[in-house]
Amino acid sequence: MARRVTPARKATVTAAAWALGLLIFFPILWTILTSFKSEGDAVAIPPKFLFFDWTLENYAVVNQRSDYLLHFWNSVVISFGSTFAGLLIAIPAAWAMAFVPGRKTKDVLMWMLSTKMMPSVGVLVPIYLLFRNTGLLDTRIGLVIILTLIDLPIIVWMLYTYFKEIPGEILEAARMDGAGLRDEIIHVLTPMAVPGIASTLLLNVILAWNEAFWTLNLTAAKAAPLTAFIASYSSPEGLFYAKLSAASTMAIAPILILGWFSQKQLVRGLTFGAVK
Amino acid sequence: MATQHSRSAARLMISPAVLLLLGWMIVPLAMTVWFSFLNYNLLQPGPRTFAGFSNYYYFLTDPAFFTAIWNTLVLVLGVLAITTVGGVLLALLLDQPMWGQGIVRILVIAPFFVMPTVSALVWKNMFMNPVNGIFAWIAEALGLQPFDFLSQAPLFSIILIVAWQWLPFATLILLTALQSLDSEQMEAAEMDGASALARFFYITIPHLTRSITVVILIQTIFLLGVFAEILVTTNGGPGTASTNLTYLVYGQSLLQYDVGGGSAGGIVAVILANIVAIFLMRMIGKNLEN
Amino acid sequence: MGKISLKQVTKSFGDVTVIPALDLDIEDGEFVVFVGPSGCGKSTLLRLIAGLEDVSSGAIEIDGVNATEAPPSKRRLAMVFQSYALYPHMTVRKNIAFPLKMAGIAPDEQERKVQAAAKVLNLTNYLDRKPGQLSGGQRQRVAIGRAIVREPAAFLFDEPLSNLDAALRVNMRLEITELHHSLKTTMVYVTHDQVEAMTMADKIVVLNAGRIEQVGSPLDLYRSPRNLFVAGFIGSPRMNLLTGPSAAAHGATTIGVRPEHLTLSRSEGLWPGRVTVSEHLGSDTFLHVNAGDLGTLTVRADGEVDARHGDSVFLTPQTGKIHRFDADGKAMA
């Protein structure tokens, strides 16, 4: 498309896009700005945008409450733990479905996707009771188990679409070259699949980090990840905008950064490969 | 391409995933069905008796049930309408040549990565709060009475918050789809004398249909289960004005400890979701064919 | 050594029989080409030999040893794929060395063999590149290099030239033929292009719907096709096939005359007609002649013939060059 775009048109488009982009981003920006304000400036009317006394005090306060770090660590363990467990189960399954497709493969894939459509609330009661009776309530391991199960279909699907793109002829070539199944996986499949596995991991960590049904319902003080920790700020008393903002910023910052890296994979991951 | 050997290996490799998901589907669901026929309240000790369909009867005749169904529908459809229409328009805009496209993209996608509890709290306190919120300040600056979003229009406010979270998703997917549109196709249409408007309706929109379907499907899955946003902002209130089905069942089971009633509600939710899912799966299935 | 025997081999996918019982012997050192239209089962047959597919019944012997159940890696065969199937994450050197590494050969020995293969294939300067940085022809050569370093019992080629442009294809055809002359290893080559089959093969196997229609040297097949299918498939442009009274005159249901066996005259001949299209190749001229009831006949004439659309011409088949076929399409003696 080597066609000339008039500068005026380009400027108009740029202005409109930036205005809309900033509008959409504004709540996040505002949260970040507020996290550096004193509590007084945070609720000032008219709002103070950039000219206030910048302070790191809120972060210090939030961090001093040692439970913040605990919840942060819970989020890390739960999101990475469930993702790794999911990958461990899903890699062989996706490998088999992509490279040894049978007549039932499509059906199995669709069925896996359908389990994702079961509303969580439909099984809330038994899971809650099972967890209570087995002592899994408010434990990280319990949440890792649940999140592994709910993310498994997405992980399998994502890996499947990535593996599908590795031409089967290459694996056959390896077989002809004398590679057994083990060599085939180590020397050929894994190096070719690593980028796909990495994006799957990234996306799933993000999804698990932000999961807020099971994490809210199955945890209390001990194993609560950041989703649940932040929710505790919703009670009206003790509400401090600046501290809420600082805690929120810390809760979303890591995932915001990971997310920006994974934009491209995000689309194909969340659409089960239907949009690339 | 498969030989007998690789076929049995394949079955072995698929089975852990299949068995786990099968267990995840069957065991809790069977338990929910079982509980739904019992008089079972965690606060009332004593033997659990068979309740027949009474749990279902109470759940389905509760006026809150109809409100919840209605609210769920409004919530899902409202968010879908905002995000798909907004997403198409935004994607069209972002697809134009401009300066700093990459940065704008990053700004637009950001809300998707914000955890639901954070976005709900930020909107509730810093924007929608009738005293200290930005919206109140804007209203006052314009000489209007501040509007208490969450008590006067709770469902609408929640739709707004959820739509803010999902608009980036729709935009990103539709933008990706737009960028995959073959420019030769556009040029051919131009050569054939199609105006910009005609090109939009006869080429761009049909090209986007598949992606729009996908956006609707996936968002529906997630939107049927909206929970944290309600819990954090309105607790389903005032009254049941912002209670959706998920929140209703949650309240029944974990706030009132009525295991039987909550389970009946859960089963109703599963049945309703399945009706939606059948349509969705058909559409996804069709999409996967090509 | 590389003698391959197929004994009553069949292949079905579910209810669909792709290859009905088939016997074939490939002698050591032979260049055998499987040729046929797409979907005729030629690739499946090759993959059965490779072990990438299981036979449904029958046996495959390699050098007299039953290899029917052996996995691909144990058959001592090397294969060049249509897509080349190079490992994209490995350099050319590592690609070529991969089968050696799998065979547990010492690194310095690997390097020596890779260098030798690279020299033969003109790849010495590209050893440190990745496949993505190579042209189609170079990728093709890497794929061949990966096959030859193992010194296999036989090479299997699955339409290896179909992704190359026309000029390169001719070059690679020559290179593969030369390679066969220098290595003297059995080669089994699958193609749908009868020109490749004619120019490269010692022995051509013509396949149609999973059945062997005819096996023979290129000239055998050209001179005496056993049936209508082979007659129509081998030779370019295609043989002219005539039915009706002109065939009955030779006591056959169908007669066939190759374009090069028709004599062109402006003034007299057996079959009058009008030129519809004339294709000037420089060396030859192909005239498509509308011969009334006989249909359109193709004739190969001298390169300098100046015939135009609408010219009136006469065609006469050369004596002894008429192929006769019976009602079943079988060649008549």
Side-chain angles (χ1 to χ4, degrees), chain B residues 16-148:
Chain B
V18 168
L19 291 178
L20 276 173
L21 281 176
L22 208 61
W24 167 240
M25 269 237 302
I26 293 172
V27 176
L29 209 56
M31 286 172 75
T32 310
V33 172
W34 171 238
F35 292 154
S36 73
F37 290 109
L38 296 179
N39 288 312
Y40 184 180
N41 192 309
L42 291 177
L43 297 180
Q44 295 164 353
R48 293 158 206 164
T49 52
F50 186 70
F53 281 93
S54 67
N55 284 324
Y56 288 94
Y57 178 78
Y58 287 119
F59 189 83
L60 291 174
T61 52
D62 186 349
F65 170 69
F66 291 100
T67 320
I69 292 278
W70 176 248
N71 287 344
T72 307
L73 266 178
V74 171
L75 178 63
V76 170
L77 294 179
V79 175
L80 281 181
I82 296 174
T83 52
T84 42
V85 174
V88 170
L89 296 178
L90 252 177
L92 282 172
L93 178 68
L94 294 183
D95 196 32
Q96 308 291 318
M98 70 174 81
W99 289 290
Q101 195 175 28
I103 299 171
V104 177
R105 228 175 110 111
I106 284 176
L107 294 180
V108 170
I109 187 66
F112 186 71
F113 301 120
V114 177
M115 55 178 64
T117 43
V118 165
S119 61
L121 273 186
V122 165
W123 278 93
K124 174 189 176 184
N125 293 311
M126 290 156 68
F127 287 84
M128 293 173 172
N129 185 298
V131 181
N132 297 318
I134 297 243
F135 288 160
W137 170 67
I138 293 174
E140 270 168 23
L142 295 174
L144 300 170
Q145 196 62 24
F147 185 70
D148 188 353

Side-chain angles (χ1 to χ4, degrees), chain A residues 200-213:
Chain A
T200 309
L201 185 138
L202 207 58
L203 180 66
N204 259 281
V205 167
I206 295 172
L207 288 180
W209 186 277
N210 289 342
E211 201 288 326
F213 181 79

Side-chain angles (χ1 to χ4, degrees), chain C residues 47-295:
Chain C
R47 294 166 61 81
L48 289 175
I49 296 174
L52 295 171
E53 304 269 5
D54 289 331
V55 298
S56 300
S57 68
I60 295 173
E61 287 179 6
I62 298 173
D63 288 333
V65 180
N66 188 338
T68 317
E69 300 294 329
S73 51
K74 297 279 182 280
R75 295 193 182 195
R76 296 180 301 119
L77 304 174
M79 184 151 164
V80 176
F81 291 83
Q82 184 171 8
S83 64
Y84 320 139
L86 301 179
Y87 310 119
H89 56 288
M90 299 184 195
T91 59
V92 169
R93 172 180 279 110
K94 287 196 171 149
N95 260 286
I96 298 178
F98 187 73
L100 301 173
K101 186 173 164 189
M102 289 299 107
I105 287 169
D108 47 336
E109 177 70 4
Q110 283 182 27
E111 179 61 20
R112 200 185 56 74
K113 291 196 172 187
V114 169
Q115 288 293 350
K119 204 169 158 211
V120 173
L121 294 165
N122 283 323
L123 287 170
T124 311
N125 295 330
Y126 304 102
L127 282 177
D128 292 315
R129 295 212 193 162
K130 294 224 170 138
Q133 301 162 295
L134 301 178
S135 70
Q138 287 164 341
R139 284 181 212 181
Q140 178 70 79
R141 279 201 280 270
V142 176
I144 294 174
R146 195 171 64 183
I148 62 176
V149 286
R150 311 176 44 188
E151 295 161 16
F155 291 97
L156 310 179
F157 292 90
D158 188 4
E159 307 224 12
L161 305 185
S162 54
N163 287 338
L164 299 177
D165 64 44
L168 209 51
R169 207 178 299 171
V170 175
N171 269 335
M172 287 308 297
R173 213 162 73 194
L174 288 173
E175 283 189 34
I176 293 173
T177 312
E178 272 172 26
L179 198 67
H180 180 238
H181 289 318
S182 62
L183 295 175
K184 298 187 171 53
T185 310
T186 312
M187 291 189 174
V188 184
Y189 188 106
V190 163
T191 181
H192 62 270
D193 180 354
Q194 60 94 21
V195 176
E196 280 176 26
M198 292 295 282
T199 51
M200 301 170 86
D202 295 325
K203 182 157 96 186
I204 296 180
V205 177
V206 182
L207 288 159
N208 182 30
R211 277 173 223 284
I212 295 183
E213 296 283 349
Q214 191 170 359
V215 180
S217 73
L219 280 182
D220 282 346
L221 266 53
Y222 177 79
R223 285 195 196 115
S224 31
R226 212 165 62 183
N227 55 36
L228 274 175
F229 180 83
V230 179
F233 198 81
I234 299 290
S236 171
R238 282 167 58 96
M239 182 188 280
N240 297 299
L241 296 173
L242 306 169
T243 51
S246 50
H250 290 86
T253 313
T254 310
I255 56 168
V257 188
R258 296 199 182 276
E260 52 270 42
H261 298 147
L262 283 171
T263 309
L264 177 75
S265 164
R266 293 279 189 178
S267 50
E268 54 176 6
L270 188 58
W271 297 325
R274 279 185 188 283
V275 175
T276 53
V277 177
S278 72
E279 298 174 305
H280 296 280
L281 301 185
S283 57
D284 298 297
T285 305
F286 295 131
L287 298 179
H288 299 270
V289 176
N290 183 352
D293 290 344
L294 298 175

Side-chain angles (χ1 to χ4, degrees), chain B:
Chain B
M1 67 173 267
T3 59
Q4 208 55 46
H5 176 70
S6 53
R7 220 170 260 297
S8 44
R11 221 167 282 141
L12 201 69
M13 291 193 288
I14 298 177
S15 35
V18 168
L19 291 178
L20 276 173
L21 281 176
L22 208 61
W24 167 240
M25 269 237 302
I26 293 172
V27 176
L29 209 56
M31 286 172 75
T32 310
V33 172
W34 171 238
F35 292 154
S36 73
F37 290 109
L38 296 179
N39 288 312
Y40 184 180
N41 192 309
L42 291 177
L43 297 180
Q44 295 164 353
R48 293 158 206 164
T49 52
F50 186 70
F53 281 93
S54 67
N55 284 324
Y56 288 94
Y57 178 78
Y58 287 119
F59 189 83
L60 291 174
T61 52
D62 186 349
F65 170 69
F66 291 100
T67 320
I69 292 278
W70 176 248
N71 287 344
T72 307
L73 266 178
V74 171
L75 178 63
V76 170
L77 294 179
V79 175
L80 281 181
I82 296 174
T83 52
T84 42
V85 174
V88 170
L89 296 178
L90 252 177
L92 282 172
L93 178 68
L94 294 183
D95 196 32
Q96 308 291 318
M98 70 174 81
W99 289 290
Q101 195 175 28
I103 299 171
V104 177
R105 228 175 110 111
I106 284 176
L107 294 180
V108 170
I109 187 66
F112 186 71
F113 301 120
V114 177
M115 55 178 64
T117 43
V118 165
S119 61
L121 273 186
V122 165
W123 278 93
K124 174 189 176 184
N125 293 311
M126 290 156 68
F127 287 84
M128 293 173 172
N129 185 298
V131 181
N132 297 318
I134 297 243
F135 288 160
W137 170 67
I138 293 174
E140 270 168 23
L142 295 174
L144 300 170
Q145 196 62 24
F147 185 70
D148 188 353
F149 282 85
L150 285 164
S151 48
Q152 282 170 279
L155 193 58
F156 171 76
S157 307
I158 289 168
I159 289 176
L160 209 64
I161 297 172
V162 177
W164 177 74
Q165 290 177 291
W166 284 95
L167 180 64
F169 173 78
T171 307
L172 192 65
I173 285 175
L174 295 169
L175 181 60
T176 310
L178 267 186
Q179 286 167 342
S180 76
L181 178 58
D182 180 14
S183 65
E184 278 191 7
Q185 223 186 93
M186 272 298 183
E187 288 167 350
E190 224 177 321
M191 297 297 289
D192 288 342
S195 67
L197 206 64
R199 289 202 299 272
F200 175 73
F201 280 108
Y202 290 109
I203 298 188
T204 310
I205 288 291
H207 176 78
L208 287 183
T209 328
R210 179 183 154 101
S211 318
I212 292 175
T213 324
V214 172
V215 165
I216 291 176
L217 299 184
I218 289 159
Q219 288 200 27
T220 308
I221 298 176
F222 285 93
L223 294 178
L224 282 173
V226 165
F227 171 74
E229 292 85 344
I230 297 174
L231 177 79
V232 170
T233 52
T234 64
N235 271 315
T240 53
S242 60
T243 298
N244 70 352
L245 199 54
T246 302
Y247 196 83
L248 183 71
V249 176
Y250 155 81
Q252 190 94 26
S253 356
L254 296 193
L255 297 183
Q256 299 174 26
Y257 298 104
D258 178 3
V259 171
S263 297
I267 293 302
V268 171
V270 169
I271 290 169
L272 292 178
N274 268 296
I275 294 172
V276 179
I278 288 169
F279 286 104
L280 298 192
M281 298 302 286
R282 283 225 181 117
M283 284 156 85
I284 290 196
K286 247 183 230 158
N287 258 306
L288 289 173
E289 297 297 302
N290 5 357

